[in-house]
Amino acid sequence: MKAKLISLAIVAVLAAGCATEQGTHTAVGTGAGAAVGAGVGNLIGHDKKSTAIGAAVGAAVGAGVGYNWTNIRNKLSGQTAGTGTQIVDQPDGSLKLNIPSQVTFDTDSTTIKSSFRSVLDGVAQTISQEPNINARVVGHTDSTGNPEHNMALSQRRAQSVGAYLVERGVKNARLTTEGRGETQPVASNATEEGRTQNRRVEIYLKPISQ
């Protein structure tokens, strides 16, 4: 009976939002679940046995949550394979897809390339299948040309991506778009290689806060 009470308490705590950030990776989820479980077990039973039971149950619950998020990452890796898309865990709990310029848009264009559609189809499918995830699309340019033009271009490109995802079934309420022009380079704009890296689209996926 005590173990059941501990289990129910842990599930309630985690469901309330203990693992809604990137802590949903398996290892972190397991550790967080164990910590929560141990605390709940101690409160319920006031002894070492209850604490141990709580830690074990919490670890199992936390691992389950972590596996789900890892599954999403693995799914996206398969869907974007061969496109040069980088998938990077972010400190704030989001997952960033960095899609290079050779995949996304032609020069000074907001028309999505055919090579970009396959990436976005996978992203749309993932978001649609995971109701607890929101997406933020961010457009970037290099420093070639007028800064105001670059800012407007990056905004229109982000909007094009957002519109495409909506066409593929993603709800508007789960999407935001923004352009940052040339303001956030990831490489030097003094070389063509650097400018190529700076011309990019980023899509951030983050679990909805509970």
mmCIF file of all heavy atoms in Angstrom, residues 25 73-74 77 86 101 124 137 140 150 175:
data_model
loop_
_atom_site.group_PDB
_atom_site.id
_atom_site.type_symbol
_atom_site.label_atom_id
_atom_site.label_comp_id
_atom_site.label_asym_id
_atom_site.label_seq_id
_atom_site.Cartn_x
_atom_site.Cartn_y
_atom_site.Cartn_z
ATOM 1 N N HIS A 25 15.551 14.013 -20.937
ATOM 2 C CA HIS A 25 16.446 12.968 -21.401
ATOM 3 C C HIS A 25 16.448 11.848 -20.370
ATOM 4 O O HIS A 25 16.301 12.082 -19.169
ATOM 5 C CB HIS A 25 17.869 13.502 -21.577
ATOM 6 C CG HIS A 25 18.050 14.203 -22.881
ATOM 7 N ND1 HIS A 25 17.833 13.590 -24.085
ATOM 8 C CD2 HIS A 25 18.421 15.472 -23.164
ATOM 9 C CE1 HIS A 25 18.066 14.436 -25.057
ATOM 10 N NE2 HIS A 25 18.411 15.595 -24.520
ATOM 11 N N ARG A 73 13.892 13.074 -30.508
ATOM 12 C CA ARG A 73 15.175 13.465 -31.089
ATOM 13 C C ARG A 73 15.621 12.442 -32.134
ATOM 14 O O ARG A 73 16.063 12.807 -33.228
ATOM 15 C CB ARG A 73 16.218 13.568 -29.984
ATOM 16 C CG ARG A 73 17.494 14.263 -30.397
ATOM 17 C CD ARG A 73 18.518 14.196 -29.257
ATOM 18 N NE ARG A 73 19.572 15.163 -29.434
ATOM 19 C CZ ARG A 73 20.545 15.069 -30.318
ATOM 20 N NH1 ARG A 73 20.579 14.040 -31.137
ATOM 21 N NH2 ARG A 73 21.479 15.999 -30.402
ATOM 22 N N ASN A 74 15.507 11.172 -31.786
ATOM 23 C CA ASN A 74 15.919 10.119 -32.722
ATOM 24 C C ASN A 74 15.061 10.118 -33.985
ATOM 25 O O ASN A 74 15.555 9.892 -35.097
ATOM 26 C CB ASN A 74 15.843 8.757 -32.033
ATOM 27 C CG ASN A 74 16.891 8.601 -30.944
ATOM 28 O OD1 ASN A 74 17.891 9.319 -30.924
ATOM 29 N ND2 ASN A 74 16.666 7.671 -30.027
ATOM 30 N N SER A 77 16.181 12.927 -36.193
ATOM 31 C CA SER A 77 17.484 12.610 -36.795
ATOM 32 C C SER A 77 17.311 11.748 -38.039
ATOM 33 O O SER A 77 17.967 11.969 -39.063
ATOM 34 C CB SER A 77 18.378 11.887 -35.777
ATOM 35 O OG SER A 77 18.709 12.721 -34.701
ATOM 36 N N GLN A 86 21.532 20.007 -38.344
ATOM 37 C CA GLN A 86 22.100 19.694 -37.041
ATOM 38 C C GLN A 86 21.004 19.766 -35.987
ATOM 39 O O GLN A 86 20.195 20.698 -35.982
ATOM 40 C CB GLN A 86 23.214 20.681 -36.687
ATOM 41 C CG GLN A 86 24.397 20.643 -37.640
ATOM 42 C CD GLN A 86 25.417 21.725 -37.322
ATOM 43 O OE1 GLN A 86 25.077 22.828 -36.888
ATOM 44 N NE2 GLN A 86 26.687 21.410 -37.520
ATOM 45 N N SER A 101 21.733 26.755 -45.380
ATOM 46 C CA SER A 101 21.168 27.544 -46.477
ATOM 47 C C SER A 101 21.039 26.757 -47.774
ATOM 48 O O SER A 101 20.133 27.017 -48.575
ATOM 49 C CB SER A 101 22.026 28.787 -46.722
ATOM 50 O OG SER A 101 23.354 28.427 -47.068
ATOM 51 N N ALA A 124 6.842 18.636 -39.130
ATOM 52 C CA ALA A 124 5.389 18.761 -38.983
ATOM 53 C C ALA A 124 4.790 17.474 -38.436
ATOM 54 O O ALA A 124 3.909 17.504 -37.563
ATOM 55 C CB ALA A 124 4.755 19.107 -40.330
ATOM 56 N N VAL A 137 10.215 29.190 -35.074
ATOM 57 C CA VAL A 137 11.030 29.234 -36.286
ATOM 58 C C VAL A 137 11.770 30.566 -36.335
ATOM 59 O O VAL A 137 11.156 31.629 -36.200
ATOM 60 C CB VAL A 137 10.153 29.081 -37.551
ATOM 61 C CG1 VAL A 137 11.025 29.094 -38.800
ATOM 62 C CG2 VAL A 137 9.322 27.800 -37.486
ATOM 63 N N HIS A 140 17.693 33.581 -40.279
ATOM 64 C CA HIS A 140 18.940 34.343 -40.171
ATOM 65 C C HIS A 140 19.515 34.577 -41.565
ATOM 66 O O HIS A 140 19.318 33.762 -42.472
ATOM 67 C CB HIS A 140 19.981 33.581 -39.345
ATOM 68 C CG HIS A 140 19.577 33.295 -37.941
ATOM 69 N ND1 HIS A 140 19.844 34.151 -36.893
ATOM 70 C CD2 HIS A 140 18.936 32.220 -37.402
ATOM 71 C CE1 HIS A 140 19.389 33.617 -35.767
ATOM 72 N NE2 HIS A 140 18.826 32.448 -36.058
ATOM 73 N N ASN A 150 17.843 42.608 -44.961
ATOM 74 C CA ASN A 150 18.157 41.295 -44.414
ATOM 75 C C ASN A 150 17.201 40.915 -43.288
ATOM 76 O O ASN A 150 16.778 39.754 -43.181
ATOM 77 C CB ASN A 150 19.598 41.268 -43.904
ATOM 78 C CG ASN A 150 20.603 41.298 -45.035
ATOM 79 O OD1 ASN A 150 20.295 40.916 -46.160
ATOM 80 N ND2 ASN A 150 21.816 41.765 -44.742
ATOM 81 N N LEU A 175 2.843 27.534 -32.937
ATOM 82 C CA LEU A 175 3.949 28.040 -33.740
ATOM 83 C C LEU A 175 4.197 29.523 -33.499
ATOM 84 O O LEU A 175 3.254 30.301 -33.357
ATOM 85 C CB LEU A 175 3.652 27.868 -35.232
ATOM 86 C CG LEU A 175 3.929 26.532 -35.909
ATOM 87 C CD1 LEU A 175 3.360 26.581 -37.322
ATOM 88 C CD2 LEU A 175 5.415 26.234 -35.956
#
